[in-house]
Amino acid sequence: MPAPLLDSFGRLHDNLRISVTDRCNIRCYYCMPEHAVEFVPRSEILSFEEIERFARIAVRLGITKLRLTGGEPLLRRDLAGLVARLGAIEGVRDLALTTNGVLLAGQAEALYRAGLRRINVHLDTLDRERFLSITRRDELGRILEGIEACRRLGFQPIKINAVAVKNLAEPDIVPLARFGRERGIEIRYIEFMPLDAQGIWDRDKVLLAGDIVATLSREICPLIEVPDQDPRAPASQYRFSDGIGSIGFIASVSQPFCLNCNRIRLTADGHLRYCLFALEEFGVKGLLRGGATDGEIEALIRSTVEKKWLGHEINQGRFTPPPRPMYSIGG
Ligand code: SF4
C-alpha cells in the first residue's frame, strides 16, 4: 500500500480537481474580459486518455474524490465519455462536476447514464437582465432548463454556486435561497476571490458570508450552523431553522479553510497545482507525452504535495495573485 499523500503540515490529500478546458461560453465580468481572451491551443489540452491515466495514478496514491471543472467543462465534446472512464477507476468514491449550466439540458441524460450524480451549477442571479450584465450572455433560460433536467433525472445533490460580489449580489441573495428551498437545491455563496483576469478584485468588493447569514436569517428565517461538519470540506453548512433547505458558504477570504485543505488541481494544459492561489506549478503533460513511467508521475504528484504551502496569503500584506486567472485553473 503506497504511503498516503501527506504534505509537510500533515494534511492528507484525497481530492483532485481536473480542469478539462480553459474555454468558456459566457463571460463573467469578475472572471474574464469580454473580448480577446487568449485560450490554450487545443493541441496543448490534455486528452481524455491522458487525464484518465493521470487520475488512475493519483487514485493509486490515495485520491478518492474527483471533480471536473473548466473554464466550462461541457464545452469538451463527449464529456460523458470521460465521466464513464473516471467513474470506472477502482478507488474513485466521489465524482462531481462544476458547470455554468448553459449546455446542461442537452447533456444531462448522457452524464447521468455515464454515472455522474453530483453536480454544481454556477449561477449568480435568477434575473435575466442582471444575468446579462454579469455574464454578457443571454443564457439564463437554458441554465434553468438544465437544472430542471438534472432534477428530473435524479442528480443528487444538485448545488448552485453563486459568487457574492458586494454592491452587486445583494438583490439575488434571498431569491436564490428561496429558489433552492423550493427545489431541494443547496445554494452556496462563494466569497469573491482575487482570481480574476483583469485585477478588479478588491477587499471592499467581498460580500462576507457573515453578512449573508444575517440577511437570510432576517428575510427568511434563522440559519443554524450544522454541527460536526467535515473540516476538510470547503463549504461551511447551515440549515434554515424551519427545516426547509440548506445553505453553504465558501468563505475563502473571511474564514480561510486552508488548514484542512485536501485538494490538488490539474490544469487543462497539464500542470499540477497544490493550491488555487499557488505561485508555482509543475508540468505533467511533458511526462505524459514524453514516455514517463507511472512511477515518475507518482513522484511528481508526491513532490508537488510535499511543496505545498500552508495556505493562500490573501489576508497578508505580501499577497500576490497567481499568474493564472480562475478560468485557466478551474474551481
Ligand atoms: S486556498 Fe489553497 S490551500 Fe487554501 S483551501 Fe484553497 S486550495 Fe487549499
Side-chain angles (χ1 to χ4, degrees):
M1 189 66 178
L5 265 182
L6 292 174
D7 65 21
S8 62
F9 303 98
R11 294 172 294 193
L12 177 68
H13 287 70
D14 60 1
N15 191 323
L16 171 64
R17 307 269 169 118
I18 302 171
S19 169
V20 298
T21 180
D22 59 346
R23 293 164 194 262
C24 192
N25 46 4
I26 61 176
R27 293 285 181 276
C28 300
Y29 81 96
Y30 52 71
C31 178
M32 59 166 79
E34 186 171 2
H35 304 293
V37 186
E38 281 193 29
F39 294 117
V40 173
R42 291 187 200 284
S43 59
E44 295 305 313
I45 297 286
L46 295 184
S47 67
F48 286 176
E49 291 74 17
E50 290 166 334
I51 292 171
E52 183 189 351
R53 180 181 174 210
F54 182 84
R56 203 173 279 289
I57 295 166
V59 169
R60 273 208 302 269
L61 295 179
I63 294 286
T64 59
K65 300 181 178 76
L66 302 176
R67 178 175 289 275
L68 297 175
T69 69
E72 171 44 41
L74 296 183
L75 284 171
R76 283 288 299 257
R77 197 172 308 129
D78 187 28
L79 191 78
L82 180 61
V83 167
R85 285 165 177 260
L86 297 177
I89 297 174
E90 199 184 328
V92 172
R93 293 210 204 103
D94 186 4
L95 182 56
L97 171 75
T98 302
T99 168
N100 65 26
V102 171
L103 301 173
L104 192 50
Q107 297 189 34
E109 189 160 349
L111 291 164
Y112 192 86
R113 286 225 190 101
L116 190 73
R117 294 295 178 269
R118 284 161 61 79
I119 199 158
N120 291 47
V121 180
H122 168 213
L123 182 62
D124 299 337
T125 179
L126 297 167
D127 178 275
R128 187 176 174 189
E129 286 311 313
R130 298 171 58 65
F131 183 90
L132 198 54
S133 72
I134 294 168
T135 67
R136 282 91 58 113
R137 299 289 186 276
D138 191 10
E139 297 287 12
L140 178 60
R142 290 170 77 186
I143 296 170
L144 296 175
E145 278 171 32
I147 292 170
E148 282 314 307
C150 287
R151 292 182 64 220
R152 275 196 309 276
L153 285 158
F155 278 86
Q156 196 43 264
I158 303 172
K159 299 179 180 177
I160 287 179
N161 292 355
V163 177
V165 180
K166 200 168 183 175
N167 300 326
L168 180 87
E170 287 85 345
D172 299 305
I173 299 295
V174 173
L176 280 169
R178 294 197 193 286
F179 180 88
R181 279 160 58 91
E182 289 153 11
R183 289 164 182 76
I185 290 174
E186 179 181 300
I187 307 297
R188 291 171 147 209
Y189 300 98
I190 302 176
E191 287 184 347
F192 182 29
M193 293 181 275
L195 286 166
D196 59 291
Q198 303 135 112
I200 61 166
W201 186 86
D202 187 294
R203 198 169 292 284
D204 298 340
K205 293 195 176 91
V206 179
L207 183 53
L208 300 175
D211 297 338
I212 301 174
V213 170
T215 300
L216 293 174
S217 297
R218 188 182 61 245
E219 302 292 331
I220 300 180
C221 68
L223 277 171
I224 301 164
E225 193 158 2
V226 174
D228 310 322
Q229 295 182 39
D230 176 358
R232 302 178 323 141
S236 52
Q237 301 282 325
Y238 287 73
R239 287 192 195 294
F240 285 102
S241 57
D242 64 1
I244 305 171
S246 64
I247 297 282
F249 293 95
I250 299 186
S252 309
V253 178
S254 66
Q255 301 157 32
F257 36 86
C258 304
L259 296 181
N260 294 300
C261 184
N262 62 342
R263 293 170 291 283
I264 52 176
R265 289 174 162 82
L266 179 66
T267 67
D269 60 352
H271 289 84
L272 193 59
R273 301 174 59 83
Y274 51 61
C275 171
L276 194 50
F277 294 91
L279 301 176
E280 58 182 346
E281 56 188 31
F282 307 92
V284 172
K285 187 174 54 205
L287 294 178
L288 288 167
R289 294 182 181 181
T293 65
D294 286 6
E296 287 166 321
I297 295 169
E298 277 184 19
L300 178 100
I301 297 173
R302 277 198 191 286
S303 67
T304 300
V305 170
E306 282 156 13
K307 289 190 181 90
K308 182 163 180 161
W309 59 8
L310 186 57
H312 71 61
E313 300 178 332
I314 298 172
N315 300 320
Q316 296 165 40
R318 62 168 181 261
F319 174 69
T320 306
R324 281 178 186 259
M326 181 68 148
Y327 67 85
S328 86
I329 301 172

